[in-house]
Amino acid sequence: MANPWQAENVIESETALMLIKNQFPELNASTITLFGSGWDNIAYLINNEYIFRFPRREVAVNLLMHEMAALPQLANKLPIAIPNPQWQGSPTKEYPWPFLGYRILLGHTACSANLSDEQRVAFVEPLAQFLKVLHHLPIQAFEHVIPGDVIDRLSVAVRIPRIMALMEELESLGLLSHKEALYTIIEYSQKLSLPQEKVIVHGDLYVRHFLIDDHNHLTGIIDWGDIHLSSSAVDLAVVHSFLPPHTHARFKEIYGPVSQDTWDLARFRALNHCLNLINFGHKSGDYTLERESKLGIDYIVKSFDRNAKRS
């Protein structure tokens, strides 16, 4: 069976540069460098100044259009920089889908820094402030430009069978740690129901989508293709997978009240996300991502144990 991240169409750099030159002559595009490639898009750096993202799978086209519709409205409302798409490319016979471009944000991805627990403490305040602002923005202006959760990210009933199958596969590959603890968390999570709240969520918030500077300060949050309206638990999952458990209380102090069900559902979402990224990182040869996702599992288990001992 094909992996879900398998590309359907990968545009080569020469073709990408030609399209950008033809459709946006005002940019004077002359140099192109591969910037990154993920499940949904391939990104090229143009003139060391612009990022252009091209879908690798047809399903990602709508995601890119959600970014084009929503991000310009969000860019000046958030306390941390996000991409602000300014150029929307049109399909051609050389490439069948639309694509978009924006000015590059400063920084490099946090996964490349191999951050220590101590270094991650500095992310608590800016991340809490960012999510507090994002999750309290009025949603009315976005209800017709971004979707709800159409893939059941938080549905325990839908996700648990997939998680169990994935755990079996990871165990066969020698990649599964904390097996019994994960089963305990899954059993505990079976009682959780989907919250009724709806806020604007990034939708895919994890270490690779954080930009940092040379001093490990958070400078940007990228890759908003999964932006949608859902429970804050979707984004709060990153607290469980990226921040050491002893920082969680401080995060909540800054972010504001979080119901226990939402917090527990965020942990479940983090577990599901990390297991999938371990699988993706290993099979794609992205061992930095595999390492980070395994660390996320370590944090999730430690956090669950801390809370269990308190109750």
Side-chain angles (χ1 to χ4, degrees), residues 66 168 172 269:
H66 297 155
E168 287 185 15
S172 72
R269 162 71 177 164

Side-chain angles (χ1 to χ4, degrees), residues 38-208:
W39 281 40
D40 294 327
N41 302 287
I42 187 168
Y44 287 108
L45 175 62
I46 306 297
N47 294 358
N48 292 315
E49 189 174 358
Y50 311 106
I51 299 293
F52 272 82
R53 295 171 63 221
F54 295 80
R56 300 170 71 244
R57 304 185 300 147
E58 188 171 10
V59 69
V61 174
N62 281 341
L63 306 185
L64 212 66
M65 293 301 96
H66 297 155
E67 291 188 62
M68 194 73 200
L71 297 192
Q73 298 186 60
L74 289 176
N76 64 353
K77 295 181 174 67
L78 299 173
I80 296 172
I82 67 171
N84 186 358
Q86 295 173 263
W87 300 281
Q88 181 176 328
S90 301
T92 69
K93 62 182 173 75
E94 291 84 11
Y95 181 74
W97 302 319
F99 55 96
L100 64 78
Y102 51 85
R103 293 186 181 276
I104 190 172
L105 300 182
L106 297 179
H108 53 276
T109 56
C111 59
S112 63
N114 197 13
L115 298 165
S116 66
D117 282 9
E118 182 179 353
Q119 289 170 321
R120 291 168 193 251
V121 173
F123 287 78
V124 173
E125 184 170 346
L127 186 55
Q129 291 285 8
F130 175 83
L131 289 177
K132 179 178 182 178
V133 173
L134 177 66
H135 293 165
H136 285 84
L137 289 173
I139 67 171
Q140 288 77 13
F142 297 88
E143 288 178 314
H144 299 297
V145 297
I146 58 175
D149 184 4
V150 296
I151 60 171
D152 296 314
R153 291 171 179 85
L154 296 176
S155 171
V156 174
V158 169
R159 293 289 166 175
I160 283 181
R162 300 178 188 178
I163 290 174
M164 301 295 278
L166 181 55
M167 286 175 61
E168 287 185 15
E169 181 177 2
L170 292 178
E171 185 175 23
S172 72
L173 295 171
L175 300 173
L176 185 67
S177 59
H178 306 294
K179 176 181 174 181
E180 296 307 318
L182 294 182
Y183 279 132
T184 300
I185 296 172
I186 291 168
E187 182 178 2
Y188 173 87
S189 301
Q190 288 179 338
K191 67 179 179 61
L192 300 175
S193 57
L194 190 64
Q196 296 304 305
E197 68 162 340
K198 281 208 178 357
V199 301
I200 302 167
V201 295
H202 175 283
D204 192 22
L205 207 54
Y206 71 108
V207 61
R208 171 148 291 171

